[in-house]
Amino acid sequence: MSKELQEEIKLSQVLNINLAETLAHMQEKELAYLQIVPPSWMLNNDPLIEQINHLGKLYSEGRLVWAAIVQANKFLFDEDKAFSCPADIVYDPTRRTPSYQLTNVASQLYALKHTTPDDPELRRYAEHVTDEQERHIQRVPSALSALPLITTGTFLWRPHLPNGKLSMNIIPILVHDDCEGIVTILPARFWEGSYLYQQWLYYGDNDIETSPAFYQLNANGQYWQSFKKQVRPTQEELPGFANQPKPYHSKKATAASLAFISQCLEMVKLDHKENVQGRGLLAKHNHLLSLIILFAVVVGVLLAIQKVLS
C-alpha cells in the first residue's frame, strides 16, 4: 500500500461524519458556533455573501468533500491577527479525487500566478490567481485534470479552523448540487479527534484550539448577540437542529485559545463599528445635510420672489 493511500485512509474518517445527526444532538445555545458574521466588505454585493446566505442549506443538506488551498489571505496564517478572510480552493464535487491529488492540482494552479499561458483556460485562471481580488467559480482547466474539478473562493471563518489559522493545505468542505461553487468549511468541532485534526494542531505549532474556547465563552449562547441582524444561519434555516440535544463534553480551553476567540469577536465589533454603523451614521448625516441645503434653497427662492413682487 502506497504512503499516499495510507494517508488518505487516515483522513477519510472526516468525510464519513453524519452531520445531520450531529446537528440534531447539539444544544440550542450552540447555534452561535455554527454562525458567521459577514464582514463589512462582503455586504457591498461581494459574491461571497452567497456563502453566508446558503449556510443553512450547506449545513442541513450538504455533503462532505475535500478541498485544497490554492492561495489565501496572509492573515489566515497568523494567529496574532484574527481577521477572517477569503481563500481560493479547488475541489472535486464527485469526491473521486483523493486529497493528495487535489493538493497537486492546487500547486499547479498557484504556479500560474504572474504567467501568461497560451492555453485560454490556463490563461483565464492565471489572470484570476494574479489579480487576487477577483471572485470566480470555474472548472479546472482540462490541461490539469480530466475530472470535473471546481475552483472557487470561500470565506474562512477563524473560529471554524482547528487552531484559528491555516496550518494545512487540505480542508473538509460542505457542498451542494443546488449551489455549485458556493461552499463552506466544516467547522472544526465536528472533526475533533480525527487524524486530520491532530495533524492540523501538530503543524500549527501553537497552543490554540478554537472549539473548546468558543464553547466556554459562549456559555449563554449569545456570542454574536450584537450582530443578530447579520449573523447566519438562523435556527429557522436549520431544520432538525437541536431536536435531540445531548451534552457536549468539551475540554478546558487554554488561555491562548480564549484570547484568540475573544480577539475574533473584537475584530468583528471593530469592523462593524467603523464600516457598517459608521456608514449608517454618515448616510443619516448626509441626508440631514441635504434637507438643510434644500430648505435653504427654498427659502432663498421665496425671498427672491417676494422681492420681485414688492
Side-chain angles (χ1 to χ4, degrees), residues 33 159-163 185-194 197 210-211 248:
Y33 176 68
H160 289 171
L161 299 175
N163 60 354
I185 188 173
L186 178 69
R189 149 85 181 271
F190 302 124
W191 35 294
E192 281 180 344
S194 70
Y197 187 93
T210 56
S211 178
Y248 170 50

Side-chain angles (χ1 to χ4, degrees), residues 253-274:
T254 64
S257 302
L258 295 170
F260 179 80
I261 291 298
S262 297
Q263 187 188 162
C264 288
L265 177 57
E266 291 307 311
M267 291 297 98
V268 173
K269 286 181 177 178
L270 181 63
D271 173 43
H272 277 252
K273 181 179 180 180
E274 292 185 349

Side-chain angles (χ1 to χ4, degrees), residues 254-308:
T254 64
S257 302
L258 295 170
F260 179 80
I261 291 298
S262 297
Q263 187 188 162
C264 288
L265 177 57
E266 291 307 311
M267 291 297 98
V268 173
K269 286 181 177 178
L270 181 63
D271 173 43
H272 277 252
K273 181 179 180 180
E274 292 185 349
N275 301 310
V276 178
Q277 296 173 7
R279 187 165 52 199
L281 290 173
L282 181 62
K284 290 179 182 178
H285 174 76
N286 287 341
H287 179 64
L288 179 60
L289 182 61
S290 297
L291 289 176
I292 292 173
I293 293 172
L294 178 61
F295 178 75
V297 170
V298 171
V299 170
V301 170
L302 290 176
L303 289 174
I305 293 174
Q306 184 180 25
K307 184 176 182 180
V308 171

